[in-house]
Amino acid sequence: MAQVVQREYRSSHIHPLKFALWVGIASIVMMFGAFTSAYLVRRAAGNWYEFKLPDVFWGSTFVILLSSWTLHASYRAFNRGVEHLYKRLLTATLALGLLFVGLQYAGWQAMTAMGATFTVNPSSSFIYVISGVHALHVLGGIAALIVALIYAFVLPFKPTPRRRLRFQLVVHYWHFVDVLWVYLFVFFLVQSP
Amino acid sequence: MAEMTKVAVDSLDTLEEKLTQEMGYDDHFHEHHHGDKYQSNFLTTYIFSTDHKMIGRQFLITGIFWALMGAMMSLVFRLQLGFPEADLAWLKPVLGKWIQVNDAGIGKLDPEFYYALVTIHGTVLVFFVLTAGLSGTFSNLLIPLQIGARDMASPLLNAFSYWFFFLASVVMFLSLFLSTGPFSGGWTAYPPLSALPQASEGSGAGMTMWIVAMAFFIVSALLGGINYITTVLNLRTKGMNLWRMPLTIWAFFITAIIGVLSFPVLLSGVLLLMFDRSMGTSFYLSEIVVGGQILDRIGGSPILYQHLFWFLGHPEVYIIILPAMGIVSEVLSVHARKPIFGYRAMVLSMLAIAFLSFIVWAHHMFMAGVNPFISNFFVIFTLIIAVPSAVKVFNWISTVYGSNFRFNSASLFALGFVSLFISGGLTGIFLGNSSIDVQLHDTYFVVAHFHIVMGVAAFFGMFAGIYHWFPKMFGRFMNETLGKIHFWGTLIGSYAVFWPMHYTGMAGVPRRYYDAGASFDSFRHFTELNQFITVAAIIVFFLQVVFVVNFFYSIFNGRKLTTKNPWGANTLEWTTPIQPGHGNWPGKIPAVQRWAYDYSKGGQEYVPQYVPLREGEYDHGH
Ligand code: HEM
Ligand SMILES: [Cu+2]
């Protein structure tokens, strides 16, 4: 049971749970900051194979950006009370999320096919590990989306503050994993020849 | 006289009730939580509790368990160091095959197991005792009570935080029983020893379980930290602005921020280590030969691991010491009956320490082959940490100076903390110079430094907190006489253990050697000193047994509390009932009107935080 204590004397209106989510996001940022710094430190030490990033990753980047947009639109439909749009866009987001994970998998296979295997050199190992851990975070988001979908289809449509809050938590997290991927993708692009 | 104070206390209690009734904050808590459904049976009360006070006690008791385990391990390896010739066959019933008995019937500690003992000793004391046992216990107990909250922001995540710690404990404990022994490559788990299962006995299953335990532990620390930060920022009672928070809360808050930002980095580092171990990657491994066999790993860098480890590792030492600092500030001020000296400087110096702690990590790597010019950068920031540290020491001394100090177990341990922090901080300044570190690195000087400044000092902060808040935790007092014996014995004994190590370290005796004293001619003259250290360590251990007995005996049989506020303290935890139930306050939450340190003010010995400011009175909390 979350301790949802309303405190009307407070001036800031951010809900404690949303705040907690952002603290958690800060720690995920540190984790990926560590990964990408490790990448740079290791690269500077030499013995580093260069290879070109497979094009599939462009596709997955497009898909996850699109999914952020559909989720945002679904949230707006939820607020405006347009039930069918809200449900449809939420479903689309889930589909795009799953597609993203599938495309990442295709990307890893393309890398293996071109000889950049998991163990051949840290330059490719890093990409598998970093994008893999990112994909795990996306799967966490997908789990949250599934819960949101169950809410959407099982419960009667009623935009109560409590449900809006839960939905917001999902939306914030999803946008975060999206932006995180864009950062990682640009990082890899800049590093590869 | 006694009559008069009694009257004064009674009238404060009624004043408190009246004020809370009039101005307190009504969140309608008890209308929603009928009949304490969370604490209705034994399991939900004591085991799967979501109440922050019970979770705090769970952290404490698990921490005490690990402290005893770690201490007993240290006795075994100290016996080896002090008396390498001694017959340890009597330990065989406990240690089994790790004691090798030769034909003459003389039992010797297996060298492999010696390394396992120092490794697990370091790991559990740093992480399980001084992080979970210290910050877990007191953040849980005090954050909601001192800021005026019903519980943590998410009591459920808070319970998870404990249970992940429990899982970590179970896995680490089970690893002690592996036939190849627990991990033995040092608490810092540097590759290649940690990365190659074939590198040593403990590097196989022992290291795997070590990693799993640490991963659980990191999850626990993150869940706890996220909760502490959110609670402090969002659930403070009316009037409790940031500058009115007790220094304990500031300390736990800053500690949690450091933890949330640094533990994930360790997690990244450990993840890469896992891939090196089991998937054949070479993040940390380069061309390497094990047992005459060339491995096909290329291009990895073991230094990379050190960077990732110490990026957490150095902040981690402040994760350990900051809660102790907060506790000491509070305990000293209460028992000196004086406002803490330089409240804001105390907060700002903690923030400065927290910030600096992120940019000094490479002082652990001066001798690892990092560029000496880069070292200079780390030398400078390392030495700058001495400035905020000195500010804090100055303020503690000024708080105590000229006061009517109440000497009791809690306040003595707080004073002891200050002494230890000075002694250990000074040796840090030697180590922080990269050129002096050439001689001192990886010697007993480093062991002496960090045991005094971190190990013993943080324990003193923890003891101060336990003696001081025991009445709040269990509604009874601990025995004072035993407490004072515990204090004086531990203070003198710990100095006796660690002070001589500075000399052996300066002479170059390396740490982590099974028999450095015995097998090098140049160190043979330290034999008696080593025996002295071992005897002192055994005595200190038995003094801790006195503490543990006192602790558990007092839970059931200690002198009972008769008033809510036995120390005459200003903070809010002492406005709750002697045994606070779920939700902490039976009615409204008291509103806060002033900072926490109005002691000996305007003719009154103490003015609690719920008392409104008088006309024209200056409020520190703005
Ligand atoms: C003025 C403040 C301090 C300075 C300048 C300082 C400096 C250093 C340096 C340079 C080392 C590395 C020595 C070596 O390995 O050769 C070191 C080790 C260590 N310090 Fe400090 N220190 C300070 C305060 C502290 C505090 C407050 C703590 C903990 C609360 C602490 C805990 C440790 C630990 C645990 C190690 C050893 C880790 C290991 O190698 O196992 N230090 N210190
Ligand atoms: Cu350090």
Side-chain angles (χ1 to χ4, degrees):
Chain A
M1 256 321 282
Q3 197 74 17
V4 191
V5 195
Q6 259 75 44
R7 310 223 138 183
E8 35 314 307
Y9 57 83
R10 318 209 109 255
S11 50
S12 96
H13 286 302
I14 179 159
H15 190 278
L17 287 182
K18 206 187 288 173
F19 188 88
L21 175 68
W22 280 100
V23 180
I25 285 178
S27 79
I28 300 176
V29 166
M30 287 304 290
M31 187 171 174
F32 282 91
F35 276 135
T36 45
S37 321
Y39 183 102
L40 293 177
V41 171
R42 176 60 199 79
R43 183 186 152 94
N47 197 336
W48 186 263
Y49 295 178
E50 305 268 2
F51 63 94
K52 195 170 161 296
L53 215 56
D55 290 335
V56 192
F57 288 122
W58 284 97
S60 64
T61 309
F62 175 75
V63 165
I64 199 165
L65 282 170
L66 193 65
S67 75
S68 256
W69 182 81
T70 52
L71 187 60
H72 184 69
S74 163
Y75 178 63
R76 285 186 44 191
F78 174 80
N79 278 339
R80 277 183 288 130
V82 193
E83 187 183 351
H84 67 280
L85 206 56
Y86 149 66
K87 284 184 182 171
R88 213 171 292 159
L89 286 165
L90 196 58
T91 319
T93 312
L94 178 67
L96 288 170
L98 290 168
L99 181 61
F100 171 80
V101 178
L103 287 174
Q104 296 297 84
Y105 186 73
W108 299 325
Q109 281 186 324
M111 276 175 62
T112 309
M114 65 200 246
T117 61
F118 190 61
T119 54
V120 67
N121 187 270
S123 66
S124 55
S125 311
F126 265 118
I127 297 194
Y128 286 100
V129 170
I130 297 177
S131 59
V133 174
H134 174 265
L136 280 180
H137 284 83
V138 173
L139 285 178
I142 286 179
L145 279 177
I146 291 175
V147 175
L149 268 176
I150 295 175
Y151 267 77
F153 282 95
V154 174
L155 298 184
F157 182 71
K158 216 167 43 183
T160 59
R162 203 179 158 74
R163 280 182 67 184
R164 174 168 311 134
L165 172 75
R166 283 169 177 266
F167 198 11
Q168 277 178 348
L169 294 176
V170 179
V171 173
H172 283 212
Y173 181 76
W174 192 262
H175 288 330
F176 163 70
V177 289
D178 177 351
V179 172
L180 181 62
W181 171 252
V182 173
Y183 158 71
L184 293 173
F185 182 58
V186 172
F187 179 86
F188 292 146
L189 273 187
V190 173
Q191 302 297 326
S192 74
Chain B
M1 183 62 216
E3 195 51 31
M4 278 210 16
T5 26
K6 176 117 183 35
V7 171
V9 167
D10 281 352
S11 61
L12 255 181
D13 276 357
T14 33
L15 177 67
E16 180 228 311
E17 270 157 36
K18 187 167 143 283
L19 285 170
T20 305
Q21 209 44 46
E22 278 170 16
M23 308 191 227
Y25 180 64
D26 191 1
D27 56 0
H28 308 284
F29 177 81
H30 292 280
E31 292 158 29
H32 303 298
H33 293 76
H34 277 301
D36 272 5
K37 68 174 170 179
Y38 300 114
Q39 299 184 30
S40 49
N41 63 35
F42 180 84
L43 271 184
T44 47
T45 309
Y46 294 104
I47 314 291
F48 299 110
S49 174
T50 55
D51 186 284
H52 69 102
K53 302 179 290 294
M54 186 54 69
I55 294 173
R57 280 174 273 195
Q58 291 173 332
F59 269 109
L60 180 58
I61 291 182
T62 317
I64 289 177
F65 167 79
W66 278 114
L68 286 173
M69 289 293 295
M72 286 189 288
M73 291 175 190
S74 74
L75 287 194
V76 176
F77 62 72
R78 254 336 300 182
L79 277 178
Q80 161 62 29
L81 290 168
F83 303 94
E85 317 288 320
D87 175 13
L88 297 183
W90 57 276
L91 277 171
K92 197 153 175 74
V94 187
L95 296 183
K97 71 166 191 166
W98 302 113
I99 299 288
Q100 299 159 342
V101 180
N102 63 14
D103 299 338
I106 306 285
K108 287 266 156 280
L109 182 66
D110 185 325
E112 208 37 70
F113 197 61
Y114 171 89
Y115 294 120
L117 285 175
V118 284
T119 301
I120 303 298
H121 165 85
T123 308
V124 302
L125 276 143
V126 166
F127 294 108
F128 291 6
V129 181
L130 294 179
T131 303
L134 177 55
S135 136
T137 302
F138 288 103
S139 302
N140 266 302
L141 177 73
L142 293 179
I143 289 178
L145 285 176
Q146 289 196 329
I147 66 172
R150 299 290 183 190
D151 205 316
M152 287 287 177
S154 171
L156 183 66
L157 285 190
N158 206 30
F160 279 159
S161 161
Y162 174 75
W163 286 104
F164 272 103
F165 170 45
F166 186 81
L167 267 179
S169 293
V170 170
V171 175
M172 192 67 83
F173 187 74
L174 290 180
S175 82
L176 301 177
F177 299 98
L178 289 169
S179 66
T180 45
F183 180 52
S184 55
W187 77 279
T188 52
Y190 282 177
L193 280 184
S194 59
L196 290 170
Q198 63 269 50
S200 77
E201 276 195 36
S203 302
M207 180 59 190
T208 304
M209 290 179 79
W210 190 94
I211 292 190
V212 172
M214 285 308 295
F216 283 141
F217 181 81
I218 293 171
V219 174
S220 155
L222 290 175
L223 290 178
I226 290 172
N227 230 332
Y228 307 153
I229 295 173
T230 309
T231 308
V232 170
L233 285 181
N234 293 288
L235 297 185
R236 298 188 310 275
T237 184
K238 198 166 158 184
M240 179 66 89
N241 63 44
L242 290 179
W243 290 110
R244 282 175 174 168
M245 295 198 308
L247 287 170
T248 34
I249 301 301
W250 271 109
F252 303 144
F253 176 55
I254 296 170
T255 303
I257 296 178
I258 302 179
V260 163
L261 296 181
S262 62
F263 270 114
V265 177
L266 179 66
L267 193 59
S268 302
V270 170
L271 253 165
L272 297 182
L273 189 61
M274 257 160 72
F275 287 116
D276 270 8
R277 283 174 65 75
S278 42
M279 308 281 286
T281 56
S282 15
F283 294 110
Y284 303 135
L285 292 167
S286 59
E287 298 72 4
I288 195 165
V289 181
V290 177
Q293 208 188 348
I294 303 170
L295 304 184
D296 63 346
R297 311 297 183 89
I298 43 150
S301 155
I303 303 295
L304 176 59
Y305 175 85
Q306 299 193 11
H307 280 297
L308 292 173
F309 181 85
W310 287 114
F311 188 87
L312 158 93
H314 186 81
E316 167 64 21
V317 306
Y318 285 97
I319 290 175
I320 288 175
I321 208 72
L322 284 177
M325 288 175 162
I327 289 171
V328 164
S329 306
E330 175 69 20
V331 170
L332 281 182
S333 178
V334 171
H335 295 289
R337 315 309 285 154
K338 268 179 69 185
I340 190 83
F341 188 89
Y343 170 80
R344 263 172 209 241
M346 285 304 220
V347 175
L348 295 176
S349 57
M350 277 196 280
L351 287 170
I353 288 176
F355 173 72
L356 288 168
S357 77
F358 281 101
I359 50 172
V360 297
W361 77 89
H363 65 214
H364 296 274
M365 301 164 58
F366 288 151
M367 296 299 289
V370 294
N371 184 327
F373 295 104
I374 295 181
S375 286
N376 286 347
F377 168 90
F378 287 101
V379 169
I380 289 173
F381 286 114
T382 300
L383 297 185
I384 291 178
I385 295 199
V387 177
S389 309
V391 168
K392 299 197 76 73
V393 168
F394 180 86
N395 288 353
W396 286 318
I397 295 176
S398 307
T399 304
V400 175
Y401 185 78
S403 70
N404 257 332
F405 200 73
R406 289 198 301 226
F407 289 96
N408 52 32
S409 311
S411 66
L412 281 171
F413 270 107
L415 282 182
F417 171 93
V418 179
S419 158
L420 290 157
F421 187 71
I422 297 174
S423 311
L426 285 176
T427 54
I429 298 180
F430 289 81
L431 294 170
N433 288 281
S434 54
S435 48
I436 302 180
D437 194 49
V438 173
Q439 166 71 7
L440 296 178
H441 177 64
D442 262 352
T443 67
Y444 271 87
F445 193 90
V446 178
V447 176
H449 159 69
F450 71 75
H451 276 90
I452 290 183
V453 74
M454 176 178 78
V456 187
F459 259 109
F460 271 47
M462 189 163 162
F463 288 137
I466 293 175
Y467 284 106
H468 186 84
W469 280 288
F470 193 87
K472 192 73 257 166
M473 277 189 254
F474 299 105
R476 293 172 187 266
F477 290 95
M478 286 178 72
N479 182 298
E480 266 299 308
T481 315
L482 289 180
K484 284 187 178 139
I485 294 172
H486 176 217
F487 168 74
W488 287 108
T490 309
L491 182 76
I492 297 167
S494 311
Y495 270 122
V497 170
F498 294 112
W499 196 274
M501 290 186 188
H502 292 105
Y503 303 114
T504 59
M506 279 188 269
V509 179
R511 64 192 282 206
R512 291 180 173 147
Y513 272 42
Y514 174 67
D515 57 357
S519 51
F520 292 87
D521 272 341
S522 47
F523 302 141
R524 202 144 292 160
H525 59 287
F526 289 130
T527 304
E528 275 145 30
L529 198 58
N530 267 325
Q531 292 173 349
F532 171 79
I533 294 176
T534 299
V535 172
I538 294 171
I539 296 173
V540 171
F541 175 78
F542 282 104
L543 285 158
Q544 308 320 303
V545 175
V546 171
F547 164 79
V548 174
V549 170
N550 188 358
F551 181 87
F552 285 104
Y553 180 82
S554 304
I555 291 181
F556 304 104
N557 301 303
R559 183 163 57 87
K560 268 196 172 142
L561 231 66
T562 51
T563 57
K564 283 201 229 172
N565 189 355
W567 308 125
N570 289 342
T571 38
L572 291 183
E573 75 271 30
W574 305 107
T575 64
T576 59
I578 291 177
Q579 294 272 16
H582 185 58
N584 298 336
W585 286 269
K588 296 181 180 179
I589 306 178
V592 163
Q593 315 279 358
R594 54 177 73 233
W595 74 331
Y597 296 102
D598 277 331
Y599 291 102
S600 306
K601 191 179 189 196
Q604 268 170 298
E605 198 190 331
Y606 64 105
V607 190
Q609 284 193 278
Y610 55 78
V611 178
L613 294 167
R614 268 160 303 183
E615 196 86 26
E617 194 181 359
Y618 172 72
D619 178 22
H620 291 263
H622 267 295

